[in-house]
């Protein structure tokens, strides 16, 4: 969504400002924040850890403050490298494709985990923690992409409306599937 032109301050990115504004009541309390790559950056993670809020999340490779050595490093499958910048760890791991992570709460290292099929796998600790806590959000985004009602529109509010309809339909479907008596929503009224 369009955030609007910021005429008051020129420091920091808008996505960082959004996160800091939303987290304001929870800062300085020792919370843990999990973010996807849209909001995450090394700079934001450093600001949050200075405010006693740890972060873990995926990272886009084109962020300005990323360590160049990690980004440019060519890795083979299951290789893992990391670098520390102040209190922030940035790591790269290759599974099916390269995965960039940023964390302030977990020291990057390879650990053995058990997947849902009871198979043992080697993964970085930061990836395992992120998957444990972000799976619901990522799964919802995945499901919406399968059954989306895409509409090309110039107006941003129409896109938001269709996205909200997708989410509402998905939640209604899950609710009616998991309850004994499904709720039927009708847009038409009966006339006598």
């Amino acid at each position: 969504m369009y955030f609007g032109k910021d005429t008051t301050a020129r420091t920091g990115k808008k996505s960082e400002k959004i996160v800091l504004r939303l987290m304001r009541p929870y800062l300085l309390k020792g919370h843990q924040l999990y973010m996807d790559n849209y909001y995450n950056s090394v700079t934001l993670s450093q600001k949050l850890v200075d405010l006693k809020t740890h972060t873990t999340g995926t990272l886009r490779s084109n962020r300005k403050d990323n360590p160049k050595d990690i980004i440019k490093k060519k890795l083979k499958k299951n290789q893992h490298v990391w670098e520390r910048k102040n209190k922030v760890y940035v790591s790269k791991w290759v599974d099916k494709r390269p995965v960039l992570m940023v964390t302030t709460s977990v020291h990057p290292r390879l650990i053995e985990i058990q997947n849902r099929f009871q198979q043992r796998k080697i993964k970085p600790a930061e990836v395992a923690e992120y998957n444990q806590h972000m799976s619901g959000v990522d799964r919802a985004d995945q499901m919406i992409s399968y059954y989306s009602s895409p509409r090309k529109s110039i107006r941003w509010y129409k896109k938001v409306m269709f996205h909200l309809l997708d989410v509402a339909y998905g939640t209604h479907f899950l609710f009616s599937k998991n309850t004994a008596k499904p709720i039927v929503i009708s847009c038409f009224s009966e006339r006598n």
Side-chain angles (χ1 to χ4, degrees):
M1 286 188 229
Y2 180 64
F3 189 74
K5 188 173 182 180
D6 188 8
T7 57
T8 57
R10 295 282 177 218
T11 58
K13 290 185 276 184
K14 289 182 182 177
S15 61
E16 287 182 12
K17 290 178 185 176
I18 292 169
V19 172
L20 291 170
R21 189 180 77 225
L22 290 173
M23 287 298 295
R24 192 174 298 138
Y26 307 104
L27 297 175
L28 301 170
K29 295 182 180 179
H31 288 290
Q32 175 74 28
L33 179 64
Y34 298 92
M35 293 184 281
D36 69 353
N37 62 23
Y38 181 77
Y39 294 101
N40 227 340
S41 70
V42 175
T43 307
L44 177 61
S45 293
Q46 183 63 50
K47 287 178 184 176
L48 287 169
V49 79
D50 290 342
L51 294 169
K52 296 183 180 157
T53 303
H54 288 284
T55 62
T56 299
T58 55
L59 187 63
R60 289 189 179 180
S61 60
N62 60 353
R63 298 279 188 209
K64 288 182 182 178
D65 48 358
N66 287 347
K68 303 290 186 235
D69 297 340
I70 297 292
I71 303 303
K72 293 179 181 178
K73 187 94 170 174
K74 301 290 182 197
L75 301 175
K76 294 179 182 170
K77 187 171 174 146
N78 290 326
Q79 285 187 320
H80 179 241
V81 294
W82 59 272
E83 188 174 305
R84 186 175 137 198
K85 185 176 180 181
N86 297 325
K87 299 174 185 175
V88 180
Y89 293 101
V90 177
S91 67
K92 184 176 187 178
W93 174 62
V94 177
D95 186 23
K96 293 177 183 169
R97 59 182 175 78
V99 177
L100 278 171
M101 299 291 293
V102 61
T103 185
T104 59
S105 64
V106 178
H107 187 285
R109 67 188 184 285
L110 292 174
I111 60 171
E112 189 175 290
I113 63 155
Q114 199 169 5
N115 67 9
R116 63 179 183 220
F117 304 112
Q118 308 306 320
Q119 298 170 334
R120 297 210 174 275
K121 298 246 179 182
I122 302 292
K123 276 189 178 180
E126 61 275 18
V127 172
E129 183 176 332
Y130 177 78
N131 289 344
Q132 179 184 0
H133 296 284
M134 280 293 283
S135 61
V137 174
D138 289 340
R139 185 82 167 145
D141 290 343
Q142 181 183 7
M143 289 296 140
I144 288 171
S145 72
Y146 292 153
Y147 303 104
S148 179
S149 55
R151 302 284 186 266
K152 291 193 176 186
S153 174
I154 296 172
R155 307 286 181 221
W156 65 268
Y157 55 84
K158 289 183 181 180
K159 290 180 184 179
V160 171
M161 182 192 73
F162 283 115
H163 176 74
L164 292 174
L165 284 173
D166 288 340
V167 172
Y169 177 75
T171 54
H172 171 70
F173 174 77
L174 288 174
F175 178 78
S176 61
K177 183 179 175 184
N178 294 314
T179 57
K181 295 180 181 178
I183 298 173
V184 177
I185 299 173
S186 175
C187 296
F188 305 101
S189 62
E190 293 182 24
R191 293 187 180 187
N192 294 338

